[in-house]
Amino acid sequence: MAEKNALPRSAMNILPLKERMKILRAHMPELDPLVRSRNFEEVNLGLQAADALTEATRCIACAKPACVIDCPVGVKIKEVVALIYSGDYLAAAAKMREDNVLPAITGRVCPQENQCEGGCVLGKKGAPVAIGNLERFVADFERESGQLGLPANAPSTGKSVAIVGSGPAGLSAAGDLVQKGHRVRVFEALHELGGVLVYGIPEFRLPKAIVKEEVDNLRRMGVEFETNVVVGKSVTIDELMRDEHYDAVFVATGAGLPVFLGVPGEHFNGVYSANEFLTRVNLMRAYQVSAYDQPVYDCRDRDVIVVGGGNTAVDAVRTARRLGARTATLVYRRSEAEMPARAEEVKHARQEGIEFRMLTNPIEFLGDEKGWLTGARCVRMELGEPDADGRRRPVEIKGSEYVLPANVAIIGVGTTANPLIQSTTPDLATNKYNYIVADSDTMRTSKRGVFAGGDIVTGGATVILAMGAGRKAAASIHGYLTTGEW
Amino acid sequence: MYRIVEARNVGLNIKQFVVEAPRIARKQKPGQFLILRLHEKGERIPLTIKSSDPEAGTVTIVVQAIGKTTSLLNCLEAGDSILDIVGPLGRPSEIENYGTAVILAGSVGTAMALPTANALKQTGNHVIFIEGARSLDMVVFEDEVRMASSEIYIMTDDGSYGEQGLVTKKLNDLLAAGRKIDFVLAVGPVPMMRAVARITAPLGIKTIVSLNSIMVDGTGMCGGCRVLLGNTSKFACVDGPEFDASLVNFEVLMQRNAMYRDHECQSLKRFEENKEEEVAQLRAELATEEAHHG
């Protein structure tokens, strides 16, 4: 094995350390903000090969690479970067695929600043190696070359696994399990595969064609897919195991139900959950208004506010901008420092003219006599003592109420567990919030043969954490199918 | 792809389809619905399931051409296919022996109420079915309604068949005649359901309505179908579609259902101007899809 993993000689970095550290981080070319805030084309254009090569040179190849430790799926980043430096981009892509079946996606949507790049030692004095951009570069290079480094599958084990949900957790588990020689079938409730990658994350951040390509790669590896199946309704977990003879089930259904604010006026026309707004625009392509049938509120020359501070809220407000909103305002009850959204998206949002109203909270929606939204009564907030998760708690400032005019208000403050599977699988234990209880290492649930991971266990998190859960589950499922021990 | 095995007109602009959808057929219970999408650029629309045949693997739906999607769907015939169908969705009707159950259904709502009527009758209820329609040509499934109920009354707006008047007139007549009513189910246009609720709520008669709010995914994920029950927000797709009529805020439902009215009118107008072309295009797309997936 040591022989196989050895890097080619050309990969040994020959520039002296000091010289390498002087190189500036490669700039990611992006579409002009004025242009892109009126269309849905991808914002980041991707690194050129020369830039990727230079960027790879910056890596000082730490003995204990923090980037690898901080990666939720454990991509061998140091080796990948060395292969890029050697100019063998296809080998770099293949190396990445050993741990990450969706590199073109994670290269685009991971919060690298909190993960791989957050750990990079170069970041202590200057800018970390642009690992996310390099990941995206090799994945795109591989796709465009048409020479895919798909890993080979082990001989068939005769076992089969049902995966519920085709989002990042499900796809990631599917890729790992099919390689181990198991038959894998993924069930998806919607008509299109990809889960949050297609209904949630907008085209300008993650083009749907890329998701489709990654799904097709899994298909080429032998993964079966069935759309239009709502597990818990169309078929239950017990029926999958008893009638369809699956030896194991992995529940990766995602976060589920949108949370509303619970304030008066949330039924006015124009108030959306971020899930609905984004699903209409992304999955149903409502931005191509006359070509596609599913409508979305016509935002042109209207005032749109989006409530929340995470990626979903930022995606929604940038989407509203692109739909022609006169003003697109992000309303968040804490300050910008507490925003969970990915740093690059916040930067891009600012460039696109999104207005940030931090420390502001809507307490009531106002509408006209026909039921259409006209505004939100908001109250200003200040930060108080830290709460359970360490973030300072926002507290209302008395007497600071004011009305923010709005024709559309989009609520992106999180989700709660979808109960469809839990309510039809009596022996599946859930916690007090109705999320499925699963062991954090083995992803085993209370029900023999059933594993769960991703947002349906943790609550709303990130694509990469869901993928990490999918990988863990796959390893654990493989163990269970091999030994038969629970 | 879900093949249409039978398609027939059952009333003016009302068509019944029997479609291959084995998973739904195995699981469907009265009161549940499905969501379908006709083509790659199509919208997702919910439709109540009239019946299913688990052995044949088919479900029966009844479609009234109102907007673009339903108009396009009603141009399809046996042998054609529907691109996507998902279900069964929503909670099934609660079936109990209430005693005397009155079902009020407007036109296409009759199809939705039929399976529940059947189940109520089989559970021992005395089922009184009041079917309403604008005129004779929209009175549907009279024979099946007769089978599913103990008494049947047909009301038409213009008096062209049955009695002249609204379904609520008949309900009031029954109450005035001193009939003891233990349970009411109303399925139809929102104003009709609201009118029923206004009659039965003061009398304390348990009344259920099946709400047709605007949906996208049908699994609880988007919240677009939320309805106001008293001060509580519920999702029609997963908490419903049937709710206690006395709690439903019908004004909010009507207002929310009007959200995309302009868009729907324009979309329908465009469709009607290019009807033949649109249908041909749909068939071509489905043929390509069929060839692609064998």
Side-chain angles (χ1 to χ4, degrees), chain B residues 197-249:
Chain B
R198 282 181 181 164
I199 295 168
T200 58
L203 302 174
I205 301 172
K206 178 174 177 158
T207 302
I208 298 292
V209 284
S210 180
L211 302 186
N212 55 337
S213 49
I214 296 174
M215 294 181 187
V216 184
D217 61 291
T219 65
M221 187 266 281
C222 86
C225 65
R226 61 192 187 279
V227 291
L228 206 51
L229 268 70
N231 289 322
T232 319
S233 194
K234 292 276 180 192
F235 294 174
C237 68
V238 287
D239 302 319
E242 296 186 353
F243 292 103
D244 180 342
S246 66
L247 299 175
V248 173
N249 186 324

Side-chain angles (χ1 to χ4, degrees), chain A residues 226 234 244 266 272-273 275, chain B residues 23 87 219 221-222 226 260:
Chain A
E226 186 174 342
S234 313
E244 302 189 27
E266 262 176 326
Y272 283 104
S273 74
N275 271 6
Chain B
R23 281 197 187 278
T219 65
M221 187 266 281
C222 86
R226 61 192 187 279
Y260 301 106

Side-chain angles (χ1 to χ4, degrees), chain A residues 185 187-192 199 219 226-230 232-236 239-240 244 246 256-258 260 266-273 275-276 279-280 283-284 288-297 369-372 418-420, chain B residues 2 23-24 26-27 32 37 39-44 68-69 72 83-92 214-228 232-235 238 252 255-260 263-264 267 270 293:
Chain A
R185 191 171 180 88
F187 295 93
E188 167 57 47
L190 294 170
H191 57 262
E192 196 168 323
Y199 76 71
R219 229 191 275 271
E226 186 174 342
T227 52
N228 298 326
V229 182
V230 181
K233 284 284 175 190
S234 313
V235 65
T236 64
E239 287 164 341
L240 283 174
E244 302 189 27
Y246 287 97
L257 314 181
F260 286 90
E266 262 176 326
H267 285 80
F268 286 124
N269 286 352
V271 182
Y272 283 104
S273 74
N275 271 6
E276 180 184 2
T279 300
R280 285 180 177 274
L283 177 74
M284 306 310 294
Q288 298 177 51
V289 65
S290 55
Y292 285 77
D293 291 339
Q294 195 100 36
V296 72
Y297 188 98
E369 68 286 353
K370 286 190 170 163
W372 292 87
N418 190 315
L420 291 182
Chain B
Y2 301 78
R23 281 197 187 278
I24 306 175
R26 274 201 290 274
K27 299 287 286 183
Q32 290 188 300
R37 190 178 73 129
H39 56 100
E40 276 305 325
K41 295 178 178 176
E43 61 180 338
R44 293 168 65 98
K68 179 195 168 175
T69 302
L72 180 58
L83 185 61
D84 293 295
I85 303 184
V86 63
L89 301 168
R91 290 170 185 267
I214 296 174
M215 294 181 187
V216 184
D217 61 291
T219 65
M221 187 266 281
C222 86
C225 65
R226 61 192 187 279
V227 291
L228 206 51
T232 319
S233 194
K234 292 276 180 192
F235 294 174
V238 287
V252 164
Q255 154 205 313
R256 288 187 61 79
N257 279 357
M259 169 116 192
Y260 301 106
H263 176 98
E264 286 158 359
S267 192
R270 271 201 305 271
H293 292 291

Side-chain angles (χ1 to χ4, degrees), chain A residues 15-323:
Chain A
L15 261 189
L17 194 72
K18 270 193 175 170
E19 294 300 311
R20 272 183 268 153
M21 290 177 74
K22 280 185 197 159
I23 304 170
L24 292 179
R25 177 175 159 122
H27 172 70
M28 169 61 89
E30 48 196 48
L31 280 181
D32 184 284
L34 277 177
V35 175
R36 73 180 193 237
S37 62
R38 285 291 178 263
N39 68 38
F40 280 79
E41 283 165 39
E42 192 176 11
V43 172
N44 284 341
L45 301 169
L47 295 182
Q48 295 296 309
D51 292 331
L53 204 61
T54 311
E55 187 60 25
T57 314
R58 296 180 65 227
C59 175
I60 58 170
C62 307
K64 280 190 183 161
C67 52
V68 181
I69 298 162
D70 291 345
C71 173
V73 296
V75 169
K76 299 184 244 343
I77 294 164
K78 183 177 159 183
E79 295 174 43
V80 171
V81 174
L83 285 164
I84 296 171
Y85 180 76
S86 78
D88 194 347
Y89 308 136
L90 290 178
K95 176 62 69 186
M96 203 151 54
R97 269 186 200 283
E98 289 176 9
D99 302 291
N100 176 357
V101 290
L102 310 168
I105 293 170
T106 49
R108 287 171 164 82
V109 305
C110 262
Q112 286 94 2
E113 67 270 21
N114 306 328
Q115 298 169 355
C116 52
E117 295 182 21
C120 179
V121 289
L122 293 192
K124 293 198 167 74
K125 280 194 172 167
V129 173
I131 298 167
N133 293 347
L134 287 177
E135 178 181 27
R136 171 189 160 141
F137 167 75
V138 293
D140 288 356
F141 182 89
E142 181 193 46
R143 186 179 65 255
E144 284 155 18
S145 77
Q147 295 167 278
L148 215 61
L150 291 184
N153 293 349
S156 170
T157 60
K159 303 281 185 186
S160 58
V161 184
I163 294 180
V164 187
S166 69
L171 293 181
S172 177
D176 280 4
L177 284 164
V178 81
Q179 283 182 61
K180 300 284 189 193
H182 307 297
R183 181 185 155 239
V184 178
R185 191 171 180 88
V186 179
F187 295 93
E188 167 57 47
L190 294 170
H191 57 262
E192 196 168 323
L193 297 164
V196 71
L197 305 172
V198 297
Y199 76 71
I201 302 177
E203 180 77 14
F204 57 82
R205 204 147 78 77
L206 177 63
K208 301 295 154 270
I210 287 176
V211 180
K212 186 173 182 303
E213 185 69 26
E214 296 284 17
V215 168
D216 285 345
N217 287 338
L218 289 169
R219 229 191 275 271
R220 287 183 197 111
M221 288 165 69
V223 176
E224 301 166 17
F225 291 96
E226 186 174 342
T227 52
N228 298 326
V229 182
V230 181
V231 174
K233 284 284 175 190
S234 313
V235 65
T236 64
I237 300 276
D238 286 313
E239 287 164 341
L240 283 174
M241 300 182 86
R242 190 189 60 221
D243 303 340
E244 302 189 27
H245 311 295
Y246 287 97
D247 300 292
V249 177
F250 177 45
V251 181
T253 49
L257 314 181
V259 172
F260 286 90
L261 299 174
V263 302
E266 262 176 326
H267 285 80
F268 286 124
N269 286 352
V271 182
Y272 283 104
S273 74
N275 271 6
E276 180 184 2
F277 184 74
L278 290 172
T279 300
R280 285 180 177 274
V281 179
N282 298 333
L283 177 74
M284 306 310 294
R285 277 52 166 194
Y287 64 94
Q288 298 177 51
V289 65
S290 55
Y292 285 77
D293 291 339
Q294 195 100 36
V296 72
Y297 188 98
D298 185 352
C299 294
R300 284 176 298 175
D301 298 321
R302 297 306 185 110
D303 299 311
V304 179
I305 64 170
V306 177
V307 185
N311 282 315
T312 309
V314 177
D315 283 346
V317 77
R318 295 173 70 198
T319 296
R321 182 82 181 152
R322 282 160 170 77
L323 291 173

